[in-house]
Amino acid sequence: MRKADLLASLVVFLVALPLCVGVAIASGVPAELGLVTGIVGGLVAGVMPGSSLQVSGPAAGLTVLVYEAVQSYGVHALGVLVLGAGLVQLALGALRLGRWFRAVSVAVVQGMLAGIGLVLIAGQVYAMGDAAAPASGVGKVAGLVSLVGDADPVALAIGGATVVVLLLWPRWRRGARLVPAPLLAVGLASVVTGVFDLSVRRVEVRGLLDAVRPPGLEDFGRLTEVGVIGTVLAFALIASAESLFSAAAVDRLHRGRRTDYDRELIAQGAGNAVCGVLGALPMTAVIVRSAANVRAGARTKVSRVLHGVWLLVFTALLPGVLGVIPVAALAGLLVHAGCKLVPVRELGPLWREHRGELVVLVVTAVAIVVGNLFEGVLVGLALAVAKTAWDISHVHVETEDRGDAGMVVRVVGHATFLRLPKLLDALEALPHDRDVRLELGGLRHLDHACAAALEGWAAGRDHEPVATISSTS
């Protein structure tokens, strides 16, 4: 074992510890379940082939979907949902479909993450003030106006101070390498809360074995429900997409072996299957922990496996430490994480160069905030497909006047029903007192609607000078 991998594992452990707890609380489940998922991410997914330096665990990106599932079906159903998602991922990896996740529109993924980030921010701001959050995304956003009067000012100050530390501490690079910002921010908040005995809500600790609940036979019976099946597929597809996009980002951070997407998908599926058996949160590869792993000097998968060992040791020997952590500090941690999910810096370039992609991003994000994560992603995918169909259906009409021989009109490009009005407008604008030869050899695609329309146009000129259609130019 290399010294670099050992040191990197400690750094990743210190980054992962508060995030595992925070994601669990935001998802509406006991804090220990987040730690269980982090442990499985290291000990199960960590030893499997795929991406050597990528670190897995509970992710902020799935918080909104998990919370909705827990509210709809109960925390007892979480195990069978995650187990089902893991089995779907294993099947996708075995069928070598992992690489196809790279074909998903980047705008949809960015819109998905932005929508998750906005809902996460809106929900966790309430937790920062120890206040109850409305159930719907729209309600959370609308209720922010009255939050100041309802929030506990002490808790809000702790949460706000946590965010400030997260923003400022990384600017001192030497210090940030020694102590990760999430650990410092949550640690300081816990110390201040304990020293001054502040009356704020703290993490409730029940013990690891008490929190773990494998699914029972009655839970498996729920897999016949349409809503449950939809949630399982949403877990699987969104977790897979986030993991594989994270893998692509991690590959750009180092010069080592590249990710095998199909094997990585199998590793994620195996990890989620084990998480499901234990009744824990779903896992994904997490870019924050993965980037910390690479920057800490990790060379092999040993670092990510050891980070799971440290989480297990901590949970087994020092579970009471969790009870001193104020919930407001973890909420501040997730508000900061939610802000990082919103691609603010990319909005300007998209507006200048790819406005259609920006529309897909914004519509996806808004649909998630207004509806839910699954519906928002479906809306985004449908819009992306429609945009792509519109973009590729370019058709141009070129005319050549040959004097007494009449006119030659060439149609070039992709003639689909989306461009049919433009095509017919151009043809109907041709002079009615000239012979016209319509050449279609420049078309790379001609759908049935356009073919029928062109034949109808030619037939409609029978009482006028001749109009003929040629398939060669």
Side-chain angles (χ1 to χ4, degrees):
M1 180 176 61
R2 299 182 180 182
K3 180 180 178 181
D5 288 324
L6 176 61
L7 295 177
S9 71
L10 291 171
V11 172
V12 177
F13 159 69
L14 295 175
V15 172
L17 178 61
L19 288 172
C20 288
V21 177
V23 169
I25 293 176
S27 301
V29 303
E32 292 86 349
L33 291 184
L35 292 169
V36 172
T37 299
I39 293 168
V40 174
L43 300 184
V44 178
V47 301
M48 299 186 70
S51 176
S52 59
L53 299 182
Q54 183 162 254
V55 182
S56 300
L62 280 176
T63 301
V64 175
L65 185 56
V66 173
Y67 182 83
E68 292 174 353
V70 170
Q71 295 302 307
S72 299
Y73 308 114
V75 69
H76 298 304
L78 185 59
V80 74
L81 294 174
V82 178
L83 174 59
L87 295 178
V88 171
Q89 288 180 302
L90 285 170
L92 293 174
L95 293 172
R96 303 185 63 80
L97 297 177
R99 67 196 69 183
W100 287 99
F101 280 87
R102 291 179 289 178
V104 177
S105 168
V106 175
V108 174
V109 175
Q110 290 179 328
M112 178 189 74
L113 295 177
I116 292 170
L118 292 173
V119 175
L120 188 61
I121 293 167
Q124 292 306 303
V125 167
Y126 291 89
M128 282 175 61
D130 281 354
S136 67
V138 175
K140 289 183 177 70
V141 175
L144 293 176
V145 178
S146 60
L147 177 61
V148 177
D150 300 332
D152 181 345
V154 176
L156 200 58
I158 292 174
T162 301
V163 175
V164 171
V165 173
L166 290 169
L167 292 174
L168 297 181
W169 182 249
R171 297 187 179 184
W172 185 27
R173 295 184 179 179
R174 183 178 179 182
R177 284 197 296 267
L178 295 174
V179 182
L183 181 68
L184 178 68
V186 174
L188 287 176
S190 301
V191 169
V192 171
T193 301
V195 169
F196 294 97
D197 193 23
L198 300 179
S199 180
V200 296
R201 189 160 63 99
R202 306 188 189 190
V203 175
E204 297 180 4
V205 182
R206 299 192 308 180
L208 188 61
L209 295 180
D210 292 333
V212 170
R213 182 187 182 277
L217 292 177
E218 67 279 5
D219 298 318
F220 284 101
R222 305 204 66 174
L223 288 174
T224 58
E225 300 176 22
V226 175
V228 171
I229 295 173
T231 302
V232 167
L233 293 176
F235 274 6
L237 296 178
I238 293 174
S240 300
E242 187 169 346
S243 296
L244 298 183
F245 276 100
S246 173
V250 172
D251 282 347
R252 292 194 290 268
L253 297 177
H254 67 90
R255 298 181 180 179
R257 185 170 57 86
R258 306 292 93 177
T259 297
D260 184 316
Y261 286 86
D262 297 315
R263 288 185 175 183
E264 179 62 19
L265 194 53
I266 291 175
Q268 294 296 321
N272 273 319
V274 174
C275 287
V277 170
L278 298 175
L281 289 173
M283 74 162 61
T284 74
V286 188
I287 186 62
V288 174
R289 275 159 261 185
S290 303
N293 189 39
V294 174
R295 290 167 184 160
R299 295 291 181 269
T300 68
K301 66 175 64 176
V302 171
S303 61
R304 64 183 189 178
V305 175
L306 281 178
H307 117 275
V309 173
W310 307 141
L311 285 173
L312 177 59
V313 171
F314 173 85
T315 306
L317 300 181
L318 301 171
V321 174
L322 299 177
V324 305
I325 300 176
V327 172
L330 296 176
L333 186 67
L334 291 176
V335 166
H336 179 260
C339 291
K340 295 177 72 173
L341 290 176
V342 181
V344 177
R345 294 182 180 179
E346 299 183 25
L347 298 182
L350 283 177
W351 173 256
R352 291 189 296 270
E353 301 172 13
H354 305 285
R355 295 188 179 181
E357 294 291 303
L358 180 61
V359 171
V360 174
L361 189 158
V362 172
V363 170
T364 303
V366 171
I368 290 173
V369 173
V370 174
N372 57 52
L373 183 58
F374 189 54
E375 293 173 356
V377 171
L378 290 180
V379 169
L381 288 173
L383 187 59
V385 170
K387 174 189 171 295
T388 301
W390 178 263
D391 288 342
I392 66 174
S393 62
H394 289 298
V395 64
H396 303 284
V397 179
E398 303 171 355
T399 61
E400 178 184 351
D401 192 339
R402 296 185 177 180
D404 294 340
M407 300 182 67
V408 175
V409 178
R410 301 182 181 88
V411 182
V412 181
H414 296 80
T416 70
F417 69 95
L418 294 173
R419 300 289 182 170
L420 186 54
K422 173 184 176 181
L423 178 59
L424 290 179
D425 286 344
L427 294 177
E428 290 169 359
L430 295 173
H432 289 258
D433 57 350
R434 306 288 302 279
D435 289 341
V436 176
R437 176 182 174 83
L438 185 61
E439 296 182 347
L440 306 181
L443 282 177
R444 292 185 290 275
H445 177 73
L446 176 66
D447 69 6
H448 177 71
C450 284
L454 291 175
E455 292 176 359
W457 170 81
R461 290 178 61 102
D462 283 347
H463 62 284
E464 300 169 354
V466 178
T468 58
I469 298 179
S470 172
S471 60
T472 59
S473 54

